[in-house]
Amino acid sequence: MQTAEIRRRWLDFFERKGHTVVPSASLVSDDPSLMFTVAGMVPFVPYLSGLVPAPYPRATSVQKCIRTNDIEEVGKTPRHGTFFQMCGNFSFGDYFKEGAIQFAWELLTTSEADGGLGFDAADLWVTVYEDDDEAIALWKQHSTLPEERIQRLGKDTNYWSTGQPGPAGPCSEIFFDRGPEYGIDGGPATDDDRYVEIWNLVFMQYQVADVKSKTDFTILGELPKKNIDTGLGLERVAFLKQGVDNMYEIDEVRPVLDRAAELAGKTYGADHTDDVRLRVIADHVRSGLMLIADGVTPSNEGRGYILRRLLRRVILSMRLLGVDGPTFEALFPVSRDAMKGSYPAVERDFDFISRAAYTEEKTFLRTLASGIEILDGAIDAAKSGTRAVTGDTAFLLHDTKGFPIELTLEIAEEAGVTVDEGVFKTLMQEQRERAKADAKAKKGQRADLSIYKELRGQGETLFTGYDELTHESRVLGIVVDGKPVPAASEGQVAEVVLAETSLWAESGGQDADQGLIVGDGFEAEVLDVQKPVPGLIVHTVRVEVGTIAVDARAETRVDADYRRGATQAHSGTHIVHAALRQVLGSNAHQAGSYNKAGYLRLDFTHGEALSTETKSEIEEISNLAIRSDYEVVTREMPIDEAKALGAMALFGEKYGDRVRVVDIGGPWSRELCAGTHVTSSAEVGMINLVSESSVGSTNRRIESLVGLEAFRSFAAERAIVHELSAGLRTPRGELVQRVQDLGAQLKAAEKKIAQLEAAKLAERVPELLAGAETLGSVRAVLGSLGTVGSADDVRGLVLQLRDRLADEAGVVVLAGDAGGKPVVIAATTAGARDAGVRAGDLAKLGAQVLGGGGGGKPDLAQGGGADVSKIDDALAEIRRSIGA
């Protein structure tokens, strides 16, 4: 049974049972505490927790998920994957344990011919929480399971909670027995790979507090509404139904594995180590495909860093299989074809997806080449010394170049040296501990959203600001320092929730409105407006006059000038986006934006910097659209109708069933957008592109001033030009050439000065040679040059002196003050290196004394620091080291 067919049967079954079919949410989670959607229940958390009223009594979904906490286990076990699909059925105060158990047993054991999954009841086991007698009785009543195949287990495996105060409850897990050839008898309690967990039924029935750990908490009592949250692993069911040994061999993953094996000239199943690498490749290519399809692009932070790590693990695994060149152009189309049946977007957007992946591969292959240069240098040093690459170097390669230790070990072994794994492991452990401490600190800083539960339960906050700047409403709640209070008085900062508001909450790239909330006897300045939970708008205010209380009448007043500027910037963002696509082509997608009064920032997919001519063209097209005074029309309609009209749905954005469509000049610019906008393009005023830069290997960023701020910038530049023209006594039209001429003159003068300084230093060669001293078995020239132009000047003199000592065991170490920073450079002849003296060691030693770092090759090395007063001390330490 194909994976897509299992998916279809799941949704059809639960739809027949009265569940609303909910499409998969994005892999990019709405939950600020989560980087990705890590479980099928994540999009439903506001409903399961009661924070937001559920829009339906029961629901079902097949949710895309990403987890990387077990990334090192990928390929080694039959079930660990970074991307997976979780089938779920959910009840929000509707059916409970009995319904969940009945549905699960019916779907699993109904024959394939009758629309079920066709599992043999004799292969199924169930675990329940040790005290949950009710669940055991229900399993006996609604299944054919004998009592010995219903096992009681403890809190560590069969009790679910978020790890925070809130809803929790026992769970019941369903396992498939793969047979004695896969392990020992005894059921899931043995924790053996023979028994594969396929479905977890969570009975969310208690409220817990004082949560100290997964198993240590206090049950306060039963929830007023009991919920059901279940999760069935689609890939796990697929590999069982397809008769293969693991998830990497199912129809949606195996084609990539086979193509990778073909590229590497390997036979899957012939070698365990190669098999693990092939599985990693197959899993990570699919994960990369799906992440990019949801708008994530490679970068050095956050979600982009996780994607980058996955893609680089593919490249490194292919290298360890013997393939050094690019492979993504062969692998990604195979994954696309395997996944498009379930997710058509991977085919529709493949041009964008492939460019992001291929660019990342090209970039990392260059990074690998530079890393190998570092490793080659470390291997050379190891061969002439301890015969081991230092753990520091191995960690540096891992941390900055993405080298896994396995690659470093393999290359070192081929060269006949070892790696100090002990130091490497110590540094890795220290890094993990720092990361854990950082994560713990961030977790502790997260707000407790439960304080908004009662407020959200009173209904959604109505935003009236599309049509008005002032609106009278009622205060529903006030929060101070994370706690609900009846009132906030003068001088206090508080969060205020109103029934309706004309103030825009930050979202969709548009910054929050500025303004006031006023009422009988009070006035509060609005500092921020946010949506901490879906449907609830919260105003952070400073009470300037009087006391604001719950149930008071209050009027929201938007700062009209700020709103005007914000709408100019937001409409300006749409205009620049349309201009970008007109100039660069339809492959230039918006990948993020931010706008506020007078300013816009637009990230877009493009692999190279824009030329000056291209930027000017984009700016001109944008301003021509403004001059054309296009009508700006906003309409609300079903999302399918909007897409049929050609409205752009932007990567990374999330949309409901009904959306707002913003047209600028009809189809010239047509996007889905909930923000506030001008009524005609002329109201934007002016676009002034002030910056274009890189924000990743596949993304660029344009920044622009808008409206009055754009004019002010042009006026400031005009003033600068006027001042330069007057100061240089040069007409405005000749100013550029005049500045270029002055620059050329300055460069020539600097070159002449450098030549004179180098010649002056060269005159010191006889003097320095005359001061050479014998240290141990080498002839050494050590000296301080005082103030020098640059490190290059010192290096040139060092090399001249080394050439004069070439026929003997010679060492040269010179130091100087280069612009207030100490520099030390060491060089050795072949004879000195044979005697065991290495330039890299000397430079590193001197740099340590100088309060900095350094190193290099055995023949030439450089160090630096922060304290020029320690130059003599550094040379003295080097002298002692050579003579030791």
Side-chain angles (χ1 to χ4, degrees), residues 756-768 797 800 804:
L756 291 171
E757 288 181 343
K760 185 176 180 182
L761 281 174
E763 292 174 358
R764 298 187 61 180
V765 168
E767 169 200 343
L768 290 166
L797 186 57
Q800 288 184 56
R804 299 285 287 272

Side-chain angles (χ1 to χ4, degrees), residues 674-697:
T676 64
H677 289 273
V678 297
T679 58
S680 71
S681 62
E683 293 177 36
V684 173
M686 183 185 295
I687 293 291
N688 176 11
L689 300 186
V690 293
S691 171
E692 191 269 340
S693 59
S694 171
V695 286
S697 59

Side-chain angles (χ1 to χ4, degrees), residues 56-135:
Y56 23 66
R58 49 178 76 178
T60 185
S61 69
V62 178
Q63 175 62 47
K64 300 175 292 185
C65 302
I66 285 280
R67 287 184 196 168
T68 57
N69 54 321
D70 291 328
I71 194 170
E72 300 300 336
E73 297 302 312
V74 172
K76 298 176 184 177
T77 74
R79 61 186 185 275
H80 279 99
T82 51
F83 172 85
F84 60 97
Q85 298 159 87
M86 187 63 73
C87 303
N89 60 285
F90 306 90
S91 166
F92 311 106
D94 189 18
Y95 63 85
F96 196 50
K97 288 183 186 179
E98 184 169 19
I101 289 171
Q102 280 181 301
F103 291 148
W105 189 254
E106 180 181 346
L107 178 56
L108 287 175
T109 59
T110 296
S111 69
E112 292 185 18
D114 292 328
L117 296 179
F119 281 99
D120 188 336
D123 294 327
L124 301 178
W125 290 68
V126 165
T127 63
V128 297
Y129 177 53
E130 57 193 357
D131 295 336
D132 195 354
D133 296 333
E134 180 187 5

